[in-house]
Amino acid sequence: MKYIIDNYCTISDMAKILKVSKHTLLHYENENIISPVFRGENGYRYYSGEQLAQFKTILYLRELGFSIKEIKEYLTDSNYSVAIEQMQEKLKQNRLEIEKLISKEKKILECINSLKTLKEIESKKESPFITHLEECYGSYLPQTSFSLEETVVNMKKLDDIYNDVTWTEKYSFGFIISQQNLENRVFSPEKFFISNKVENLNPYIFPTSDYTILYTDKKEEYSKSIERLLEWIDNNGLTVIGDLIIEDPSTYRFSEKYNSFFKIFRIPVKKS
């Protein structure tokens, strides 16, 4: 077949018209999506006006997020019914991606808020104070001591439940000592908690209340920190009205002052 060179354009011309690189056009050729009409004696690739329209379709599909495989299928089965079906499937995929991104955004915002809170209270470390907290939900596993062995067992259970060991980066966790144990001066936990609703685990509600908070990174036994907190509560005319939560705030690990002993003690109180 005889070609009139002036009716075709080279790969350089096509790339300029489409505002893409020659490598992009060569990529589609290597993927067997679209190839030049012919190659001249000089080795140049030549494309037709019809192929210009095809390239525009390909670039548009890429902009919509179609993969190479999906583009091939689209170009091969080019009729309205199939095209509509493929577009609807892509729309479904995009919506799932949007949901994932929204979920990630929510987690990022939660992390930012946690970091802001920890930054704000840095100056309050070792000095108990009162703040109002709204109701929130968590879950718990039974635990009767602060032993590392028992803690690791519960953490491994959560690893298995989530099938993801990074849950410790996403949620705070720690121990709960019942109000009754506190009143009896028995400073042993009854629960290992996680600040997230976990299916098939016991739910735990952190009630709306005024809370006395102690942020500490002192290298001391839990009982010492609890005694300091309860003494401060008594001295300030307050009464304990709920369980004590001892929290390991995972986001604190981003602090330049990170200390593995850092804990948050919080307990609901009211005026005596």
Side-chain angles (χ1 to χ4, degrees):
M1 181 182 292
K2 183 178 179 181
Y3 292 92
I4 301 173
I5 301 300
D6 291 344
N7 289 343
Y8 299 90
C9 62
T10 65
I11 190 170
S12 295
D13 294 331
M14 184 66 80
K16 288 179 182 177
I17 294 169
L18 295 170
K19 293 182 172 57
V20 298
S21 68
K22 289 192 292 183
H23 293 296
T24 297
L25 304 185
L26 290 172
H27 174 63
Y28 295 132
E29 180 180 339
N30 292 334
E31 292 289 345
N32 297 315
I33 294 179
I34 185 169
S35 299
V37 175
F38 73 100
R39 297 185 70 163
E41 294 179 1
N42 54 10
Y44 287 4
R45 291 170 170 79
Y46 289 93
Y47 299 89
S48 67
E50 181 182 351
Q51 287 180 307
L52 173 62
Q54 290 176 330
F55 271 125
K56 287 184 176 181
T57 298
I58 292 167
L59 293 174
Y60 179 62
L61 292 174
R62 287 298 282 167
E63 184 180 334
L64 294 179
F66 277 66
S67 66
I68 294 296
K69 179 177 179 293
E70 290 169 335
I71 289 173
K72 286 181 181 179
E73 292 172 352
Y74 186 94
L75 296 176
T76 301
D77 302 316
S78 54
N79 65 65
Y80 287 124
S81 296
V82 173
I84 290 170
E85 185 178 329
Q86 289 173 314
M87 287 294 178
Q88 288 175 332
E89 178 60 28
K90 179 52 62 177
L91 182 61
K92 180 181 177 181
Q93 293 173 12
N94 286 349
R95 284 175 174 166
L96 288 174
E97 287 300 316
I98 289 170
E99 289 176 5
K100 290 179 182 178
L101 288 172
I102 290 173
S103 177
K104 286 182 181 178
E105 180 182 90
K106 181 181 177 182
K107 291 175 182 177
I108 291 171
L109 288 172
E110 288 173 350
C111 185
I112 289 172
N113 289 334
S114 295
L115 290 168
K116 284 182 177 178
T117 299
L118 291 169
K119 181 180 179 181
E120 288 171 2
I121 57 88
E122 185 73 37
S123 61
K124 298 178 180 178
K125 194 166 57 178
E126 309 305 338
S127 300
F129 63 93
I130 300 175
T131 190
H132 185 80
L133 298 176
E134 295 298 325
E135 179 181 270
C136 63
Y137 294 84
S139 306
Y140 74 87
L141 291 160
Q143 179 153 338
T144 58
S145 74
F146 292 117
S147 74
L148 179 60
E149 181 180 4
E150 195 172 358
T151 301
V152 168
V153 167
N154 276 329
M155 294 183 78
K156 284 184 176 178
K157 287 179 182 178
L158 287 165
D159 289 346
D160 294 337
I161 289 172
Y162 282 110
N163 194 28
D164 176 9
V165 297
T166 67
W167 64 266
T168 56
E169 304 295 315
K170 303 168 186 174
Y171 311 110
S172 61
F173 54 93
F175 311 99
I176 295 175
I177 299 178
S178 70
Q179 181 180 359
Q180 182 177 355
N181 275 3
L182 289 174
E183 290 172 351
N184 294 327
R185 287 302 193 264
V186 177
F187 300 146
S188 298
E190 293 182 343
K191 301 174 178 71
F192 178 91
F193 85 91
I194 176 173
S195 62
N196 185 47
K197 284 185 177 180
V198 182
E199 190 175 354
N200 298 325
L201 287 192
N202 300 303
Y204 187 87
I205 299 176
F206 299 90
T208 299
S209 178
D210 287 335
Y211 282 79
T212 295
I213 311 289
L214 171 64
Y215 296 81
T216 179
D217 62 2
K218 281 190 174 182
K219 298 179 181 180
E220 63 182 9
E221 296 291 332
Y222 285 119
S223 58
K224 297 291 186 183
S225 299
I226 295 170
E227 289 284 6
R228 287 198 290 132
L229 178 61
L230 294 177
E231 182 180 359
W232 187 91
I233 290 172
D234 288 339
N235 291 340
N236 284 271
L238 300 170
T239 301
V240 171
I241 58 172
D243 301 338
L244 170 66
I245 298 97
I246 304 173
E247 182 180 356
D248 183 333
S250 57
T251 47
Y252 192 71
R253 70 187 69 253
F254 295 110
S255 170
E256 292 178 0
K257 300 178 181 179
Y258 174 64
N259 182 322
S260 60
F261 288 89
F262 183 81
K263 294 290 182 290
I264 300 174
F265 292 76
R266 54 189 172 104
I267 187 168
V269 295
K270 68 176 183 179
K271 290 286 186 181
S272 298

